[in-house]
Amino acid sequence: GQQVMQIPQYQHVQEGEDFTTYCNSSTTLSNIQWYKQRPGGHPVFLIQLVKSGEVKKQKRLTFQFGEAKKNSSLHITATQTTDVGTYFCAGPKSSNTGKLIFGQGTTLQVKP
Amino acid sequence: NAGVTQTPKFQVLKTGQSMTLQCAQDMNHEYMSWYRQDPGMGLRLIHYSVGAGITDQGEVPNGYNVSRSTTEDFPLRLLSAAPSQTSVYFCASSPTGSSYNSPLHFGNGTRLTVT
């Protein structure tokens, strides 16, 4: 069945270093969403990408949607301790947009 | 607005017991869903609803029932709890059943332990 895979599963960085997480789908996605979950918290919506090749920025965060709409990435420039958490990508199941399928998430730890 | 409210926050059950996890939203969202979160597995969709009176199965529906009698409420029932159902459960809603321009709003979660 359709899968959404994220790598890496864990990433430890020194504060100030950059961080990237990658999301790959086995099928073409109509759109992709990104969420952040702080430790002990619930997922919070960050952004949605819809167009092929789309790039969106939120301060130090840069989101990209691949040309083939099967992959996406989240890049954080100069990480801060406030970036700690798990980042999830999610895309609709190709045959049913009512089903939003999440990747396994990438957990980011930032050493001060 | 309270957003998405889940109760209880914590629950311990014995194998075979039944219980209902409550979820309510005050945003008049049509779409509601239940996810479970387990270490290394991400968020897996259990059941979802695109409107009152309509429910459908997600990726991992076995052992769970849902109903949607009102727009506001979407309870999740465990008929006979099993240790494999130990997890953190999240309820989420969005304005429409389509994921276009419809980010999910999550509740704070229910941490369930089945012994």
Side-chain angles (χ1 to χ4, degrees):
Chain A
Q2 179 182 359
Q3 291 188 331
V4 176
M5 309 293 290
Q6 267 185 270
I7 55 171
Q9 188 172 0
Y10 299 98
Q11 185 80 57
H12 296 251
V13 300
Q14 199 73 36
E15 189 172 21
E17 292 182 338
D18 292 356
F19 159 77
T20 304
T21 174
Y22 299 91
C23 180
N24 296 290
S25 171
S26 57
T27 60
T28 301
L29 298 171
S30 57
N31 66 90
I32 194 160
Q33 298 177 9
W34 284 90
Y35 292 79
K36 177 183 178 181
Q37 183 178 26
R38 295 182 185 275
H42 59 274
V44 175
F45 174 78
L46 292 176
I47 208 161
Q48 182 177 47
L49 305 171
V50 178
K51 299 176 183 176
S52 169
E54 189 170 14
V55 178
K56 287 188 176 180
K57 292 190 175 184
Q58 289 180 350
K59 297 183 180 178
R60 294 177 296 103
L61 277 62
T62 302
F63 302 84
Q64 288 189 304
F65 201 9
E67 293 291 339
K69 301 183 79 173
K70 293 181 72 174
N71 58 76
S72 181
S73 65
L74 158 59
H75 179 81
I76 302 178
T77 303
T79 54
Q80 299 175 359
T81 55
T82 54
D83 295 324
V84 164
T86 301
Y87 294 85
F88 292 98
C89 62
K93 192 169 176 64
S94 55
S95 61
N96 186 334
T97 57
K99 292 184 177 181
L100 195 63
I101 307 300
F102 280 76
Q104 307 96 312
T106 296
T107 298
L108 173 64
Q109 298 278 8
V110 180
K111 302 174 211 173
Chain B
N1 287 346
V4 180
T5 302
Q6 287 185 240
T7 56
K9 291 184 180 179
F10 301 94
Q11 183 71 50
V12 179
L13 291 178
K14 293 185 178 179
T15 298
Q17 287 185 318
S18 64
M19 80 158 294
T20 299
L21 279 63
Q22 301 292 343
C23 176
Q25 52 89 12
D26 61 359
M27 298 174 282
N28 202 32
H29 284 173
E30 292 183 10
Y31 180 88
M32 296 185 75
S33 56
W34 278 101
Y35 287 86
R36 60 176 289 173
Q37 184 173 29
D38 304 291
M41 303 289 287
L43 293 152
R44 291 184 291 170
L45 182 63
I46 304 172
H47 286 285
Y48 66 98
S49 168
V50 297
I54 306 168
T55 63
D56 206 346
Q57 295 181 347
E59 302 170 273
V60 289
N62 293 340
Y64 308 94
N65 281 350
V66 292
S67 61
R68 184 94 180 272
S69 56
T70 67
T71 299
E72 294 78 19
D73 300 299
F74 191 45
L76 178 72
R77 297 183 188 85
L78 284 70
L79 300 178
S80 180
S84 61
Q85 294 178 306
T86 294
S87 187
V88 179
Y89 291 85
F90 287 101
C91 179
S93 72
S94 70
T96 69
S98 167
S99 59
Y100 279 99
N101 300 316
S102 293
L104 289 176
H105 299 253
F106 282 84
N108 288 332
T110 295
R111 186 174 295 273
L112 175 68
T113 301
V114 183
T115 61

